[in-house]
Amino acid sequence: RSQSFESGIALVIMANATFVTFETNYEMQHLNSSSLRYSEVGFTMIYLFELAVRLKVHRWYFFISGPEFGWNIFDFVLVSIAFYDIISTFFLQLSSPAGAGMAQSLRM
């Protein structure tokens, strides 16, 4: 376990929580704007990178052993859902602009 890696990810989590608060407030004031969507993609990519690094280092033991294996599974599920959301929204935007609005409504 790298203390600097753990600290860096903790900072990303705090920055993400702060940004979600800001983004929610902004979206309530600008209902038809989706300009902050790129930040969600950025944070998801960081979490995807973190998951890949942990799987590379710990292999499948990441999911089956250790005191935090339950949290590891939970993190994997959350990152998978976020990644699926990004991919599905992207493909809906390609197919039709109306589908993108529907996808954003379903996210809420």
Side-chain angles (χ1 to χ4, degrees):
R1 296 192 114 189
S2 168
Q3 189 62 34
S4 58
F5 184 75
E6 296 288 332
S7 298
I9 292 301
L11 286 173
V12 169
I13 291 170
M14 289 187 291
N16 189 12
T18 302
F19 203 83
V20 165
T21 303
F22 170 75
E23 182 180 24
T24 302
N25 187 34
Y26 181 84
E27 285 181 358
M28 292 306 294
Q29 294 173 359
H30 306 89
L31 292 177
N32 293 328
S33 175
S34 62
S35 61
L36 298 176
R37 177 94 171 129
Y38 297 110
S39 65
E40 181 180 341
V41 172
F43 281 115
T44 301
M45 292 301 115
I46 292 171
Y47 294 137
L48 196 59
F49 173 74
E50 175 207 8
L51 190 61
V53 167
R54 290 185 190 273
L55 283 171
K56 174 98 170 117
V57 170
H58 299 292
R59 309 261 186 235
W60 290 107
Y61 296 109
F62 180 72
F63 293 115
I64 60 174
S65 67
E68 297 177 350
F69 81 94
W71 287 111
N72 296 340
I73 294 170
F74 182 68
D75 285 345
F76 178 79
V77 169
L78 289 180
V79 170
S80 298
I81 290 170
F83 188 68
Y84 173 78
D85 177 51
I86 289 168
I87 296 299
S88 62
T89 301
F90 174 74
F91 283 115
L92 280 173
Q93 284 177 342
L94 287 179
S95 65
S96 73
M102 183 182 73
Q104 288 178 344
S105 297
L106 291 175
R107 280 184 50 230
M108 291 183 191

